[in-house]
Amino acid sequence: QVQLIESGGGLVQPGGSLRLSCRLSDRRFGLYHMSWFRQGPGKQRELAARITNGGRTNYADTVRGRFTISRDIAKNTVYLQMNNLKPEDTAVYYCNANSTIIDRQFWGQGTQVTVSS
């Protein structure tokens, strides 16, 4: 069973930064599109950022220019660098791995990010 292990959430003041990490248990990291989703209080889960297995990135309009998704293939890990955080970024952030060879996707357990003064 594929597992995603997330870390890096926490409490930060507005304008601050956090970096989330997500390690994939499957060593065939290059077969997955990797994404970060988030779900704020009372809101639906939404895509924040995505990096394809080919390395292309895309971002939600609400985070573009502040968040950066990246990956380390050797470490089977995807990162989300979040800068200039705002209270509206408060959410549980979920890592997602979407297989390119079978019709399956996998989710991490979620990590809480709270932006508050």
Side-chain angles (χ1 to χ4, degrees):
Q1 178 70 12
V2 174
Q3 293 183 320
L4 296 166
I5 308 300
E6 302 165 355
S7 61
L11 173 64
V12 64
Q13 292 185 343
S17 298
L18 281 175
R19 189 177 81 154
L20 306 181
S21 300
C22 171
R23 185 176 62 82
L24 180 70
S25 63
D26 189 341
R27 293 183 178 182
R28 300 172 298 170
F29 188 73
L31 296 180
Y32 294 87
H33 302 315
M34 302 296 296
S35 301
W36 288 97
F37 285 75
R38 65 183 186 178
Q39 187 166 14
K43 298 181 180 180
Q44 291 187 333
R45 192 174 296 189
E46 62 177 7
L47 176 69
R50 184 172 187 254
I51 185 165
T52 70
N53 65 334
R56 293 182 180 177
T57 59
N58 62 281
Y59 298 90
D61 289 343
T62 51
V63 308
R64 187 176 294 111
R66 300 187 298 121
F67 290 11
T68 302
I69 189 169
S70 62
R71 62 182 182 172
D72 186 331
I73 295 175
K75 296 182 178 180
N76 297 339
T77 299
V78 63
Y79 304 96
L80 186 67
Q81 177 67 44
M82 305 183 293
N83 297 329
N84 190 22
L85 282 160
K86 304 176 180 180
E88 51 264 42
D89 295 317
T90 295
V92 178
Y93 284 71
Y94 296 92
C95 182
N96 173 276
N98 194 350
S99 173
T100 61
I101 59 171
I102 59 173
D103 186 21
R104 287 198 67 183
Q105 59 180 331
F106 305 92
W107 293 90
Q109 78 281 5
T111 185
Q112 177 70 46
V113 171
T114 302
V115 184
S116 175
S117 55

